[in-house]
Amino acid sequence: MLTLADARRVIAAAEQKAEEIGQPMNVAVVDSGGNLVAHVRMDKAWIGSIDISINKAFTARAFDLSTKDLAAESQSGGQFFGIHVSNGGRVMIFAGGIPLKRDGEVVGAIGVSGGTGEQDQTVAEAGAAAF
Amino acid sequence: MLTLADARRVIAAAEQKAEEIGQPMNVAVVDSGGNLVAHVRMDKAWIGSIDISINKAFTARAFDLSTKDLAAESQSGGQFFGIHVSNGGRVMIFAGGIPLKRDGEVVGAIGVSGGTGEQDQTVAEAGAAAF
Amino acid sequence: MLTLADARRVIAAAEQKAEEIGQPMNVAVVDSGGNLVAHVRMDKAWIGSIDISINKAFTARAFDLSTKDLAAESQSGGQFFGIHVSNGGRVMIFAGGIPLKRDGEVVGAIGVSGGTGEQDQTVAEAGAAAF
Amino acid sequence: MLTLADARRVIAAAEQKAEEIGQPMNVAVVDSGGNLVAHVRMDKAWIGSIDISINKAFTARAFDLSTKDLAAESQSGGQFFGIHVSNGGRVMIFAGGIPLKRDGEVVGAIGVSGGTGEQDQTVAEAGAAAF
């Protein structure tokens, strides 16, 4: 089980990293069913990233891998090209979504959106590390 | 401006009320653009209420009135009957969404879902009062 | 955890009841996250009921109650009227969806569609009883 | 006509192959109308692959060719590039969907999702061979 307290701890760590690098972010956490547990949009973070952060978290749980790794296989010519239109357009294929594991099992995921791919990834990693 | 700190204060008050009445809830806050600022799903709250809480908040800001009041005009035979399919199905016409005002102006909204209409309304009012 | 073996046992019992009453049905089972575990469409069952059976199961888990009970509160004038457009149109508010419980906790749901509301309910109950 | 019994035979063969290669899968079968006949998600298979398996089967029947072959023409620069956003996002352009033929005519399709493109294809072929 991933609790709301877990989600808040993950989000707090992500926010702290976002402040450190000076880039406001949207941060979302989903549970093992891919369903949203909590989301925050930091002041001045992009509104277009609300949906992206939630769906990066969904994607990382839906396929039990980071969206950064999924991206590598989902470009034109790759084995999963086209996956981004599946699941009603909820599959995000760029960095910022990371599965959250407990005892080796994926029990949820974090999704971050609001900066460059590298910034999103950095913030998501900071969040995941707090889980 | 409605900040993330504002949203968190509103959500905290709503959560406290939800705990008092013993009903786990989804609570969401949107800004003046109707865009999500923060969402939490309390442990054991319904997963079907994630979307509803977010969209009750959207609706309360979209029309600058409570979803409870909108409901009164949106039943079969009412002057707004059918409004619930507008905006891509995001308009919620039952209690639990309340505008948040500052200096007489609507700057956002809270949406609550997870119990009866009366429970949702009670929790939303507690959240709004903290704004 | 609700396993595929669980889902098949539930579906088999539902199919048997559907045959008894002579009405081909769509039967679906979802897990605790509301995600599909298995679906069958019996020969000559309605194609329009594929989506309905899957979404009745989703709904019963999303709100931890039968769609028959949800229906009672979701008619025009009821406290949840309008809920049927939430969650992207996945909320079904007529009989045939029933939560599946283990040790008092909802861990999934069955959804049945293909006949009258009464037939759907009867078949769903037979399926749920086998869980 | 493709019956539920046919679909189950196809799915059973696919499941057996999935177990052999040690990769849990989602397997779906559609009929000549492209409509779902049966779906199973094996324990621990990805939840993001539910939709993909169903839509690979849809796609294979919708165009009467394997999604692997369709992929070859649907990459950036190819003659069908962009087809993946048609049909409401239901067209899957990566391996794992195969038409099911009887007497030289396509009467349905199988869709498999849950592993690499090669694994999905291998499992789909095993399922199709049992038809």
Side-chain angles (χ1 to χ4, degrees):
Chain A
M1 284 290 300
L2 186 155
T3 65
L4 175 54
D6 289 326
R8 281 184 159 139
R9 195 173 63 251
V10 167
I11 288 174
E15 274 186 271
Q16 193 182 328
K17 178 59 76 178
E19 274 163 19
E20 268 176 50
I21 65 170
Q23 186 63 33
M25 295 285 187
N26 280 268
V27 186
V29 172
V30 300
D31 65 14
S32 64
N35 297 306
L36 190 62
V37 178
H39 162 271
V40 303
R41 172 159 52 103
M42 295 170 70
D43 295 340
K44 297 188 184 298
W46 297 329
I47 57 177
S49 285
I50 299 167
D51 176 88
I52 295 174
S53 64
I54 294 171
N55 286 331
K56 279 183 183 172
F58 167 77
T59 302
R61 170 51 185 143
F63 302 105
D64 289 354
L65 90 175
S66 74
T67 56
K68 186 182 177 183
D69 287 347
L70 183 60
E73 308 288 343
S74 305
Q75 308 303 307
S76 181
Q79 66 171 330
F80 294 143
F81 178 59
I83 199 172
H84 55 297
V85 301
S86 75
N87 288 273
R90 299 193 64 198
V91 174
M92 297 292 108
I93 53 172
F94 44 108
I98 299 180
L100 299 173
K101 294 185 185 182
R102 185 166 279 154
D103 304 327
E105 196 147 347
V106 178
V107 296
I110 180 176
V112 173
S113 180
T116 63
E118 197 178 322
Q119 288 174 320
D120 291 356
Q121 183 69 14
T122 298
V123 171
E125 285 172 3
F131 182 61
Chain B
M1 286 289 301
L2 185 154
T3 65
L4 176 54
D6 289 326
R8 281 183 160 141
R9 195 174 63 251
V10 167
I11 288 174
E15 274 186 271
Q16 193 182 327
K17 178 57 76 176
E19 274 164 20
E20 269 176 49
I21 66 171
Q23 187 63 31
M25 294 287 184
N26 280 268
V27 185
V29 172
V30 299
D31 64 14
S32 62
N35 298 304
L36 190 63
V37 178
H39 163 270
V40 302
R41 173 159 51 104
M42 296 170 69
D43 296 339
K44 296 188 184 298
W46 296 330
I47 57 177
S49 284
I50 299 167
D51 175 88
I52 295 174
S53 64
I54 294 171
N55 285 329
K56 280 183 181 171
F58 166 78
T59 302
R61 170 51 186 141
F63 302 106
D64 289 351
L65 88 176
S66 74
T67 57
K68 186 182 176 184
D69 286 348
L70 182 60
E73 307 290 343
S74 305
Q75 306 301 307
S76 181
Q79 65 170 328
F80 293 144
F81 177 63
I83 199 171
H84 56 299
V85 302
S86 74
N87 288 274
R90 299 192 63 197
V91 174
M92 297 291 108
I93 53 170
F94 46 109
I98 298 179
L100 298 173
K101 294 184 186 183
R102 184 167 280 155
D103 303 328
E105 197 148 344
V106 177
V107 296
I110 180 175
V112 174
S113 181
T116 63
E118 197 178 321
Q119 288 174 319
D120 292 356
Q121 184 68 16
T122 297
V123 171
E125 285 172 2
F131 182 61
Chain C
M1 285 291 300
L2 186 153
T3 65
L4 176 53
D6 289 327
R8 282 184 158 139
R9 194 173 64 252
V10 166
I11 288 174
E15 275 185 271
Q16 191 181 329
K17 178 58 75 177
E19 275 163 18
E20 269 175 50
I21 66 172
Q23 186 64 32
M25 294 287 186
N26 280 267
V27 186
V29 172
V30 300
D31 64 15
S32 64
N35 297 306
L36 189 63
V37 178
H39 163 271
V40 302
R41 173 158 52 102
M42 295 170 68
D43 297 339
K44 296 187 183 300
W46 297 329
I47 56 177
S49 284
I50 299 167
D51 176 87
I52 296 174
S53 64
I54 294 170
N55 285 331
K56 279 184 182 172
F58 167 77
T59 302
R61 170 50 185 143
F63 302 104
D64 289 353
L65 89 176
S66 75
T67 56
K68 185 182 177 183
D69 287 348
L70 183 61
E73 307 289 343
S74 304
Q75 307 303 307
S76 181
Q79 66 170 329
F80 294 142
F81 177 61
I83 199 172
H84 55 297
V85 301
S86 74
N87 288 274
R90 299 193 63 197
V91 174
M92 296 292 107
I93 54 171
F94 45 106
I98 298 179
L100 298 173
K101 294 184 186 184
R102 185 167 279 153
D103 302 329
E105 196 147 345
V106 178
V107 295
I110 179 175
V112 173
S113 181
T116 63
E118 197 178 323
Q119 288 174 320
D120 291 356
Q121 183 68 15
T122 297
V123 171
E125 285 172 2
F131 182 59
Chain D
M1 286 290 300
L2 185 153
T3 65
L4 176 54
D6 289 327
R8 282 182 159 142
R9 195 172 63 250
V10 167
I11 288 174
E15 274 185 273
Q16 193 182 327
K17 178 58 75 177
E19 275 164 18
E20 269 176 48
I21 66 171
Q23 187 63 33
M25 295 285 187
N26 279 268
V27 186
V29 173
V30 300
D31 64 12
S32 62
N35 298 304
L36 189 64
V37 178
H39 162 271
V40 303
R41 172 159 52 105
M42 296 170 69
D43 296 339
K44 296 188 184 297
W46 297 329
I47 56 177
S49 285
I50 299 167
D51 176 87
I52 295 174
S53 64
I54 294 170
N55 285 330
K56 279 183 183 172
F58 166 77
T59 301
R61 169 53 186 140
F63 301 105
D64 288 353
L65 88 176
S66 73
T67 57
K68 186 181 177 185
D69 287 347
L70 182 60
E73 308 289 343
S74 305
Q75 306 302 306
S76 181
Q79 65 170 329
F80 294 143
F81 176 62
I83 200 172
H84 56 297
V85 301
S86 74
N87 288 273
R90 299 192 63 197
V91 174
M92 297 291 109
I93 54 170
F94 45 109
I98 298 179
L100 298 173
K101 294 185 186 182
R102 183 166 282 155
D103 303 328
E105 196 148 348
V106 178
V107 295
I110 179 175
V112 173
S113 180
T116 63
E118 197 179 321
Q119 288 175 319
D120 291 356
Q121 183 68 16
T122 298
V123 170
E125 285 171 3
F131 182 59

